Amino acid sequence: MYFTNASQMEETSSDSEGYIPFGTPVGGLGLSEHHNGDLIYEDSDNFVEEDESDDDELSEDEEQFRIHETMEGDRLPCEGTQLNTGKELAHVVENRQLNQRNAMSPRDSDSDVSTAALLGYRSLGIGGSPYSLSRKIATFDIIPDTASNVLDRMESRGYIGQFTADGERFIGAFQNERIIKIYDPLRNFKVVKSIQARNLRWTITDTAMSPDGRFILYSSITPLVHLVTMNTDDPGIESIANVTDIHETLTFSNRSFSEGLWSIKWSGDGKEIVAGSSEPFVYIYDIESQQIVSKLHHHQRDVNAVEYADETNRIFYSGSDDSFIHVWDRRLLGRSGKPVGSFIGHTEGLAHLNSKNNSCHLISNAKDQTIKCWDMRNMASWNEAKEEQKKTDVPTFRWDYRWMTYPGTGKRIRHPRDKSIATYRGHQVISTLIRSYWSPAHTTGQRYIYTGCGTGSIHIFDVVTGEKVRELEHHVDVVRDCSWHPYLPMLVSISFDGTVVSWEPSFH
């Protein structure tokens, strides 16, 4: 039924909500379960730093021409040194920011490491000695919360903005100019390649990079996916006309050109592409044979999001406008062709899915204005999901997120059989399929969730408490996508206002 019962609506008193139902499996989220069933949070705030002496101050000239020692014995390159990889640059930046942080923070060399600190290290999943450089960085809660540079400005809405897995490229896709730009973060975001998109309807809906970094896919509101070579290491490569590129068309359906592909993902072994469509099907495309090998039809409305659970490619998810997230086992599709389970809890359609890459935890962004965290061990069976589809007591609205405001604004809408383990509120999913992500493991231990917003801001939530820890404001229009660098404390956002903006930490 649609929303008619006022008792199912509660006034919202805070921007965000993080709750863990009793009995829910909570492994890997920084929670412990007490013997009496009460959940307790692990304290990761009380960390003690090692007593270390300050580096000798260098004059401006010396800073430019000398190589100086860091407190851990690592060496920082002098001005103009070329760094070869994102990890090298990350190491340098981490050392510099650590020195800045130490200079501004009191030191306590006489304190022992507390039990709370050790629990905090465990909750971050970093273990081992708490005094190594990488572990100190992970516990500093370094969040890129200050807009530092406008990297690009286009007369076009920005739809896609993502770092590659190694952090050495940033991909931006723009609507009106029908272009995909590849930026080099190690060279001040210089554009190293421009791809003129083909056969677009409305916009570029998604992009995906091959695991080896040689190819990029892009999709639109058509049944076609285009495959283009990267070639960004070749000098002077900027093939606007695609003359020097492979630019192949992969056909996912011949039923209707009006069918659109909303989401695409390349498998970790590079052999298959999973796509969600408007028909609503989930397609599995085999790269070698260049044909569809599975067409799954168990959603009732558009499939807006697909995602792999991890790099093994065995488990993947699909999220739909029918509000269900289905869980699929690639090994069983030939026998049953059915999902192995479902996540039940959203009351409106799904916008985006992002896996923690641990085969267990997933977050979903939805048009009910919530992000939810899920645990594979707490999913509903496929039979339960089929029964759920028949029920009419779920509160929902007849509304179009593309031009309407959410009718439930100011109310807390609850699904009567919500199986999520945490819910995060405070952002707006309007106008477009806005994306949310786990923060990177290398610099944050995946302790945060971040998302774009229909108001033009970026929201960062604490995974465990559900609290909003930052709201970043700069853009004047919708932020559909943003990306936290996998190794550097840097975030880049792309907006409907046409700007690409970098964010860096402030140490005030």
Side-chain angles (χ1 to χ4, degrees):
M1 70 175 183
Y2 290 95
F3 207 39
T4 57
N5 187 354
S7 66
Q8 292 173 314
M9 302 170 62
E10 300 177 9
E11 295 292 338
T12 303
S13 58
S14 61
D15 287 340
S16 61
E17 170 194 7
Y19 65 90
I20 310 293
F22 172 73
T24 298
V26 292
L29 285 178
L31 300 171
S32 294
E33 189 167 2
H34 196 266
H35 67 277
N36 64 2
D38 294 329
L39 291 171
I40 58 175
Y41 295 103
E42 295 174 352
D43 183 0
S44 59
D45 296 328
N46 301 320
F47 298 102
V48 179
E49 298 183 27
E50 192 176 22
D51 186 23
E52 293 146 355
S53 59
D54 291 299
D55 293 335
D56 295 335
E57 293 186 1
L58 300 177
S59 67
E60 184 175 350
D61 291 338
E62 290 174 319
E63 176 68 28
Q64 293 179 358
F65 297 106
R66 289 181 54 189
I67 298 178
H68 62 277
E69 297 278 336
T70 70
M71 64 180 188
E72 293 283 346
D74 299 311
R75 303 184 70 83
L76 296 179
C78 62
E79 196 89 5
T81 301
Q82 179 68 38
L83 299 172
N84 295 323
T85 68
K87 289 187 178 180
E88 289 181 24
L89 181 57
H91 192 58
V92 171
V93 173
E94 285 177 352
N95 277 294
R96 287 176 174 167
Q97 291 180 339
L98 182 61
N99 288 334
Q100 292 176 14
R101 185 64 176 258
N102 285 342
M104 298 164 59
S105 304
R107 294 176 180 162
D108 184 1
S109 60
D110 300 326
S111 300
D112 295 325
V113 179
S114 67
T115 301
L118 294 175
L119 289 173
Y121 284 112
R122 188 181 73 181
S123 73
L124 291 176
I126 54 179
S129 168
Y131 292 121
S132 71
L133 178 62
S134 63
R135 286 158 175 74
K136 287 181 177 179
I137 291 295
T139 61
F140 276 163
D141 299 334
I142 295 180
I143 298 176
D145 54 6
T146 303
S148 58
N149 287 296
V150 176
L151 305 174
D152 203 351
R153 194 182 301 273
M154 302 283 287
E155 296 297 324
S156 177
R157 288 179 169 185
Y159 267 75
I160 306 294
Q162 282 294 297
F163 284 107
T164 55
D166 58 11
E168 295 184 15
R169 294 290 183 266
F170 181 81
I171 301 168
F174 301 88
Q175 179 187 32
N176 298 344
E177 300 189 31
R178 310 168 78 85
I179 196 170
I180 299 170
K181 287 187 172 184
I182 312 297
Y183 303 84
D184 185 347
L186 305 184
R187 291 190 284 170
N188 295 320
F189 284 83
K190 177 184 177 181
V191 176
V192 293
K193 186 181 187 67
S194 295
I195 301 169
Q196 194 68 46
R198 299 175 178 174
N199 302 120
L200 291 191
R201 289 184 66 234
W202 183 246
T203 189
I204 297 164
T205 56
D206 205 359
T207 61
M209 182 73 69
S210 64
D212 60 8
R214 296 172 55 207
F215 302 96
I216 184 174
L217 301 171
Y218 67 88
S219 60
S220 184
I221 310 177
T222 73
L224 308 176
V225 170
H226 293 272
L227 181 148
V228 186
T229 50
M230 287 290 288
N231 289 334
T232 57
D233 293 328
D234 293 343
I237 188 73
E238 190 167 334
S239 52
I240 298 292
N242 303 307
V243 174
T244 62
D245 288 337
I246 295 174
H247 200 137
E248 293 189 5
T249 300
L250 313 179
T251 302
F252 277 61
S253 174
N254 292 314
R255 296 178 73 242
S256 170
F257 194 74
S258 63
E259 179 181 1
L261 300 178
W262 301 116
S263 179
I264 53 175
K265 286 291 183 293
W266 209 317
S267 65
D269 58 10
K271 296 180 179 180
E272 293 181 339
I273 302 165
V274 173
S277 85
S278 61
E279 278 306 305
F281 295 114
V282 176
Y283 292 108
I284 300 179
Y285 185 94
D286 182 78
I287 295 290
E288 184 175 358
S289 64
Q290 296 189 13
Q291 63 183 6
I292 297 294
V293 293
S294 291
K295 184 169 71 172
L296 310 172
H297 187 195
H298 288 284
H299 282 292
Q300 297 176 339
R301 299 179 63 187
D302 292 36
V303 180
N304 296 326
V306 292
E307 174 72 320
Y308 281 99
D310 56 29
E311 295 176 355
T312 65
N313 314 313
R314 296 171 183 170
I315 304 295
F316 64 93
Y317 312 103
S318 60
S320 167
D321 271 337
D322 61 16
S323 79
F324 286 86
I325 302 169
H326 291 335
V327 183
W328 309 83
D329 190 327
R330 184 68 183 87
R331 297 162 293 183
L332 301 178
L333 292 181
R335 278 182 271 172
S336 69
K338 299 177 181 178
V340 295
S342 293
F343 294 130
I344 300 171
H346 282 297
T347 60
E348 304 287 348
L350 274 297
H352 189 247
L353 301 175
N354 186 238
S355 172
K356 198 178 182 184
N357 204 32
N358 65 352
S359 306
C360 188
H361 295 109
L362 174 79
I363 58 171
S364 56
N365 205 14
K367 299 170 187 177
D368 59 12
Q369 314 302 299
T370 68
I371 298 171
K372 288 185 178 290
C373 182
W374 310 89
D375 192 313
M376 280 274 288
R377 296 163 292 185
N378 199 42
M379 69 178 179
S381 68
W382 173 233
N383 287 333
E384 287 179 297
K386 287 192 296 183
E387 290 300 315
E388 184 67 30
Q389 290 174 347
K390 302 175 185 177
K391 294 178 180 178
T392 60
D393 62 341
V394 177
T396 187
F397 296 97
R398 290 184 182 274
W399 76 295
D400 191 326
Y401 79 110
R402 293 172 297 179
W403 56 273
M404 295 175 63
T405 58
Y406 180 54
T409 300
K411 306 293 181 182
R412 183 166 296 169
I413 315 300
R414 295 182 182 275
H415 192 293
R417 290 165 295 280
D418 186 0
K419 286 184 172 289
S420 65
I421 62 173
T423 297
Y424 310 88
R425 303 175 186 268
H427 63 301
Q428 293 186 28
V429 181
I430 54 175
S431 301
T432 186
L433 299 175
I434 291 174
R435 302 176 164 205
S436 62
Y437 303 93
W438 296 90
S439 64
H442 183 81
T443 54
T444 71
Q446 293 182 300
R447 64 183 301 173
Y448 303 111
I449 289 169
Y450 64 102
T451 179
C453 180
T455 64
S457 56
I458 300 162
H459 297 249
I460 303 176
F461 300 94
D462 186 286
V463 170
V464 175
T465 66
E467 295 180 358
K468 186 193 300 180
V469 296
R470 296 287 194 283
E471 182 173 353
L472 316 184
E473 296 182 338
H474 175 85
H475 294 286
V476 296
D477 207 340
V478 174
V479 174
R480 185 181 190 266
D481 206 2
C482 50
S483 186
W484 201 318
H485 194 282
Y487 302 110
L488 300 177
M490 173 200 300
L491 187 147
V492 175
S493 55
I494 193 165
S495 170
F496 277 15
D497 64 15
T499 61
V500 181
V501 175
S502 64
W503 303 78
E504 296 179 355
S506 60
F507 295 99
H508 302 297

